[in-house]
Amino acid sequence: LCCDNGEFALNAMIRGSAASAVGVDSSQDAVDAAMANAELNGLAGKDISFVKDDIARFMKSAIEADDEFDVIVLDPPKLAPSVSSLDKASRKYHALNRDAMNLIDKSRGGLLLTCTCSA
């Protein structure tokens, strides 16, 4: 989630032996770059896709569809560039992580990796 140029999804497919990967980003430029990077890395025709969507909306739709994942990487942009915005950012981080945890495979479990570059 917030896949940028697709680096986590690409590495999951190439180095992590993932059977499939989905990257989501709100930027069409990022999605286009991720798709180009997948092709450059020999993943054309493999089960890897990149979607332009708001990650909160994507997760809500995935939860409603009962979709589940083994591994989720949540790498949102800086939501708290300063201490003054930390309270609002904290609420957003909490909501994003809550929704991501609800998408982890409930029968087998899984891994949620959350990254942040906030203050």
Side-chain angles (χ1 to χ4, degrees):
L1 299 167
C2 301
C3 69
D4 192 37
N5 292 315
E7 51 275 352
F8 286 113
L10 295 171
N11 276 294
M13 294 291 291
I14 296 167
R15 302 278 183 218
S17 302
S20 64
V22 178
V24 182
D25 204 288
S26 62
S27 164
Q28 186 63 53
D29 288 343
V31 169
D32 291 344
M35 290 189 297
N37 285 334
E39 190 168 323
L40 286 170
N41 281 278
L43 295 174
K46 303 288 185 184
D47 194 2
I48 184 168
S49 61
F50 296 96
V51 179
K52 181 189 180 297
D53 201 353
D54 173 81
I55 61 165
R57 183 174 42 242
F58 177 87
M59 288 192 289
K60 181 179 180 192
S61 295
I63 290 167
E64 289 171 356
D66 291 326
D67 291 339
E68 294 182 328
F69 301 89
D70 297 325
V71 177
I72 296 175
V73 178
L74 176 61
D75 188 16
K78 185 184 294 187
L79 298 177
S82 66
V83 175
S84 64
S85 58
L86 193 55
D87 284 339
K88 182 178 178 182
S90 180
R91 288 189 297 276
K92 181 69 172 179
Y93 283 129
H94 180 269
L96 292 172
N97 279 280
R98 177 201 61 223
D99 291 348
M101 285 188 287
N102 284 324
L103 288 170
I104 294 293
D105 188 304
K106 289 161 191 59
S107 63
R108 295 183 297 146
L111 174 70
L112 169 61
L113 170 64
T114 300
C115 306
T116 181
C117 58
S118 290

